[in-house]
Amino acid sequence: MTSGLWELVLKGVWVTIQLLVLSALLATAVSFVVGVARTHRLKFVRFLAGFYTEVFRGTSALVMIFWVFFVLPPAFGWQLVPLWAGTLALGLTYGAYGSEIVRGALAAVDPAQREGGIALSFTPTQRLRLILLPQAVPEMIPPFSNLLIELLKGTALVSIMGMGDLAFSGNLVRLALQESAEIYTYILVIYFVIAFLLTRVMRGLEKKLKAGVGRTPKHDPDVELKRAETTNAGGAV
């Protein structure tokens, strides 16, 4: 390939990485918000979170991109640029899958840990922040790693909007050179390299998070205050 065509491919790589990072950030936020809501004590909150999960898990990401890019503009009178339309569609779709990872990890925490927080008179937010999430997050990393790789491959769907991602750029180069095998082999290798690097990063993050599990926790004013209140109450009785 000529330098000009390689430049086109590299621009596509950059667009793909931008889309991956933005949609991953949105999907992570949605995953935690909806996943925690799935464990909420209020039935109505659990219903709304479950409804969202079932809708976005049960619909095609490709159709969702069509809907966000082609249906929303005439319905609401505004137009999203392809990057933000792809980010919104992919982030909401993969966030629904991620919410089940969060819900499952929180549910897997030993019930005795929850009971200990209740015994210390922790509020639900304190139990979530100080007890549940520190133990659940390390267990979320492997499935989140797989989901991130799936999201990377899902970014190729935005090429239907004419967005110049890696898949779209590769197709333009193929049309210019009339060489399918060579070009698509390059594209496959590039996707593999990006996925491999993501896997290494996620494994490093998993090791770092799990290294702190089981260690003596650092001094936390909230924990010490609750312990003192519980001890004083017990002594009064």
Side-chain angles (χ1 to χ4, degrees):
M1 289 195 301
T2 64
S3 59
L5 294 178
W6 272 116
E7 182 179 351
L8 181 62
V9 172
L10 292 177
K11 286 182 178 179
V13 173
W14 173 237
V15 172
T16 294
I17 292 175
Q18 283 182 291
L19 180 62
L20 174 66
V21 171
L22 293 173
S23 55
L25 290 175
L26 177 59
T28 300
V30 170
S31 297
F32 276 91
V33 171
V34 178
V36 171
R38 293 291 302 274
T39 66
H40 200 275
R41 64 182 183 277
L42 295 179
K43 186 176 181 180
F44 179 69
V45 176
R46 296 198 305 270
F47 170 78
L48 289 180
F51 179 76
Y52 166 84
T53 301
E54 294 303 324
V55 168
F56 279 87
R57 231 178 19 166
T59 53
S60 166
L62 179 62
V63 176
M64 189 60 63
I65 291 174
F66 276 127
W67 198 86
V68 171
F69 192 65
F70 295 109
V71 177
L72 283 182
F76 295 95
W78 44 263
Q79 178 69 57
L80 286 172
V81 297
L83 177 63
W84 294 115
T87 297
L88 183 62
L90 293 174
L92 293 177
T93 299
Y94 285 88
Y97 291 100
S99 68
E100 282 297 284
I101 296 174
V102 174
R103 182 196 62 80
L106 291 174
V109 175
D110 190 342
Q113 300 291 326
R114 300 173 184 268
E115 295 169 3
I118 295 173
L120 290 171
S121 300
F122 282 3
T123 64
T125 301
Q126 288 175 321
R127 293 198 298 270
L128 178 68
R129 180 172 62 89
L130 300 173
I131 298 175
L132 299 180
L133 283 178
Q135 298 180 67
V137 168
E139 303 303 322
M140 299 177 193
I141 299 302
F144 265 132
S145 179
N146 290 333
L147 189 62
L148 185 61
I149 301 304
E150 289 298 321
L151 177 57
L152 169 64
K153 294 185 286 187
T155 58
L157 297 175
V158 301
S159 60
I160 64 171
M161 299 183 293
M163 185 175 173
D165 71 312
L166 179 57
F168 185 82
S169 300
N171 189 52
L172 291 181
V173 174
R174 181 190 67 83
L175 293 175
L177 297 180
Q178 295 297 312
E179 285 286 345
S180 298
E182 179 184 358
I183 301 306
Y184 285 130
T185 299
Y186 287 145
I187 300 303
L188 284 175
V189 171
I190 293 172
Y191 273 115
F192 172 78
V193 170
I194 298 174
F196 180 79
L197 294 176
L198 290 174
T199 302
R200 298 297 103 184
V201 170
M202 294 298 285
R203 285 187 180 178
L205 180 61
E206 180 185 3
K207 290 181 180 179
K208 183 177 180 180
L209 291 174
K210 286 189 173 181
V213 176
R215 292 182 178 178
T216 302
K218 296 181 180 179
H219 173 75
D220 192 300
D222 291 337
V223 175
E224 297 299 329
L225 178 61
K226 291 297 182 181
R227 285 177 177 171
E229 291 175 351
T230 304
T231 302
N232 293 335
V237 174

